[in-house]
Amino acid sequence: MKRSGQGACAAALIALAMAGCGKHEAQAPVAAPDAAPVAEAPADAAPVAVELHDVIDTNARYVLGISYPPAANAYPGLAKALSDYAEHARSELLKAVDELGNDTPTAPYELSLAFDMAVNTPKVVAVSAEGSSYTGGAHGQPLVARFVWLPERQELLTAQALVDSPRGWQAVSDYTRDKLLEQAMVRAQGEDMAPEEQQAQVRNLSKMIDQGTTADAANFAQFEPVMDAAGRIAALRFVFPPYQVGPYSDGTQTVDVPASVLLPHVAAGYRELFAHP
């Protein structure tokens, strides 16, 4: 999918702000956070108006950079969801700063978060969120989220609503597990190690994959549509943050599940959004 290029903004803001601040040491692995909860408004209530603006905030204790795609402002409900997620990440960072008391960290705490417009069609809009939050340790805390907005419905599409049966999630689970295992085998074969070491690595990864792809909507909460030329969803790209189906070093992993696999299990109200065989 074509990206807007907006995702570089947060990183650029952080880079400018970090000039002269020094770089932090490697941080200890921590679990990726859940997306910030978004309170549901009554069905007849209009979303609270939110105007998204890039944010840069820096001092001796922390550096904070957040960037948004301007096009998201055209969808108030979506803009509110993005703002809520960013505010949650910001609040968590500032809470960690407050817990320092009067101390100053050896390296500034840091939040870098970029929202990018991934899809923008009359029926489907999707925004990706990528970033990290550093509050000490060996690694930054990954921030990975996806938001799929349906303009005609004024609705944020969730995994739970899209596939509403255990059988459906089992089909998604089976497909993604197989693809992730294939990817793990390819990575292992590309590393300089003995065949028995490769096999041991794949066995260990298969356990993480099994745990991270059980047939539960919560394991597939982050997804974005892959659109065809007619503006329909040809596949859903499920996104797995670091630690969910592999170690931190493997980064964020994705699997495209085609419409042909999904359609038999998609809730009736959403089937018209998908490309039909």
Side-chain angles (χ1 to χ4, degrees):
M1 285 178 290
K2 184 177 181 181
R3 297 296 180 99
S4 65
Q6 184 71 15
C9 293
L13 293 174
I14 287 291
L16 289 172
M18 285 297 295
C21 291
K23 296 301 292 179
H24 57 69
E25 297 178 354
Q27 306 155 321
V30 293
D34 294 331
V38 180
E40 293 186 3
D44 57 350
V48 177
V50 173
E51 185 73 21
L52 299 175
H53 297 285
D54 291 354
V55 177
I56 180 67
D57 186 10
T58 179
N59 56 42
R61 305 177 79 192
Y62 69 85
V63 178
L64 186 154
I66 303 172
S67 66
Y68 298 98
N73 282 308
Y75 311 101
L78 174 61
K80 178 67 164 55
L82 304 186
S83 175
D84 286 349
Y85 183 87
E87 181 56 31
H88 178 75
R90 177 179 175 275
S91 296
E92 290 295 302
L93 180 82
L94 296 182
K95 178 181 177 182
V97 172
D98 287 343
E99 290 173 352
L100 291 170
N102 295 323
D103 295 337
T104 298
T106 55
Y109 284 3
E110 180 182 321
L111 171 65
S112 177
L113 180 59
F115 295 92
D116 286 304
M117 187 68 74
V119 175
N120 193 359
T121 72
K123 288 182 177 292
V124 180
V125 175
V127 172
S128 66
E130 299 279 352
S132 67
S133 178
Y134 170 71
T135 56
H139 291 290
Q141 187 173 3
L143 298 173
V144 179
R146 298 294 186 272
F147 304 83
V148 180
W149 183 254
L150 306 180
E152 293 179 347
R153 300 169 181 249
Q154 292 295 295
E155 174 187 343
L156 196 65
L157 182 59
T158 66
Q160 291 88 341
L162 182 65
V163 176
D164 56 5
S165 71
R167 182 180 177 185
W169 285 118
Q170 189 61 59
V172 174
S173 172
D174 292 343
Y175 188 92
T176 55
R177 182 187 295 112
D178 288 347
K179 292 299 181 182
L180 287 167
L181 189 57
E182 287 178 13
Q183 295 172 17
M185 293 174 67
V186 170
R187 288 196 303 273
Q189 290 169 1
E191 295 183 11
D192 185 16
M193 60 177 68
E196 56 272 18
E197 292 177 314
Q198 293 180 1
Q199 293 171 7
Q201 177 173 299
V202 171
R203 281 197 301 270
N204 290 333
L205 287 175
S206 69
K207 296 176 183 178
M208 297 189 71
I209 291 170
D210 287 345
Q211 293 171 356
T213 60
T214 55
D216 186 330
N219 286 328
F220 302 93
Q222 309 304 335
F223 63 90
E224 62 185 58
V226 178
M227 311 300 289
D228 67 10
R232 294 188 180 275
I233 299 173
L236 287 183
R237 178 166 296 147
F238 288 96
V239 180
F240 303 98
Y243 305 114
Q244 182 174 346
V245 294
Y248 180 85
S249 58
D250 283 349
T252 298
Q253 300 186 57
T254 65
V255 173
D256 289 5
V257 180
S260 58
V261 172
L262 291 164
L263 263 176
H265 312 290
V266 170
Y270 301 107
R271 289 175 188 165
E272 59 92 15
L273 299 172
F274 286 77
H276 292 255

